[in-house]
Amino acid sequence: MQVKDLMSTHVVSVAPEETVQVAARLLSRHNVGALPVCSPDGKLRGMITDRDIVLRCVAAQEDPAKTLVRNLMTSRVVSVAPTDDANTATALMAREQVRRLPVTEQGKVVGMLCLSDVAVRQDFSTEAAECLSSICSNIAHRES
């Protein structure tokens, strides 16, 4: 099975020049935990998560209305192509410790693949469980 068979094609993104407050509103409005950060031409520039906002902005006592997304986003982002194998994508999630992967074609975001997209498929339940186990075990090692 390919990534395109599992990914969501409805992607909400944010521009690097937007404020963190705008990003937080988008996360809340669309009930998602992460947004791809895209330039006006649709090219992937980074990712920003609800956790980034809490830890790097709110906890650091920065003003979300004045802080730009580009100052908080993670610039080093791994992505997959729609034609990539879904098993390869879950292995990448586990290795990179992420639950969401932007799906790109020629550098432009065309979808998102979330661990939950994989987990709801019975034919991928083992891969999803292994991926989540890997993510959780590495988090536990970092926290101890």
Side-chain angles (χ1 to χ4, degrees):
M1 184 170 295
Q2 295 180 324
V3 168
K4 67 182 176 185
D5 300 318
L6 299 171
M7 71 181 199
S8 170
T9 57
H10 176 72
V11 179
V12 179
S13 63
V14 65
E17 299 78 26
E18 289 288 355
T19 65
V20 171
Q21 185 176 49
V22 168
R25 285 186 181 144
L26 286 170
L27 289 166
S28 175
R29 183 178 302 133
H30 297 281
N31 193 31
V32 294
L35 297 171
V37 181
C38 299
S39 57
D41 63 355
K43 297 274 186 179
L44 181 64
R45 299 292 178 230
M47 291 284 288
I48 188 163
T49 67
D50 47 7
R51 181 175 168 85
D52 294 331
I53 292 171
V54 170
L55 297 179
R56 297 181 188 166
C57 187
V58 177
Q61 298 182 334
E62 299 291 334
D63 185 349
K66 294 180 182 174
T67 304
L68 299 181
V69 167
R70 74 170 164 244
N71 296 331
L72 292 187
M73 72 182 194
T74 299
S75 299
R76 185 193 160 282
V77 179
V78 293
S79 64
V80 291
T83 55
D84 285 349
D85 181 74
N87 287 319
T88 303
T90 58
L92 180 62
M93 286 178 173
R95 187 179 76 235
E96 295 294 323
Q97 301 295 291
V98 297
R99 293 180 291 151
R100 303 166 191 94
L101 287 174
V103 182
T104 58
E105 281 185 310
Q106 299 174 345
K108 294 184 179 184
V109 177
V110 296
M112 288 290 286
L113 180 67
C114 299
L115 184 56
S116 60
D117 297 328
V118 177
V120 296
R121 295 289 303 252
Q122 285 206 302
D123 47 343
F124 277 92
S125 59
T126 302
E127 289 84 352
E130 289 172 359
C131 180
L132 184 58
S133 174
S134 175
I135 291 169
C136 292
S137 66
N138 284 333
I139 289 171
H141 283 86
R142 285 193 312 245
E143 292 176 350
S144 57

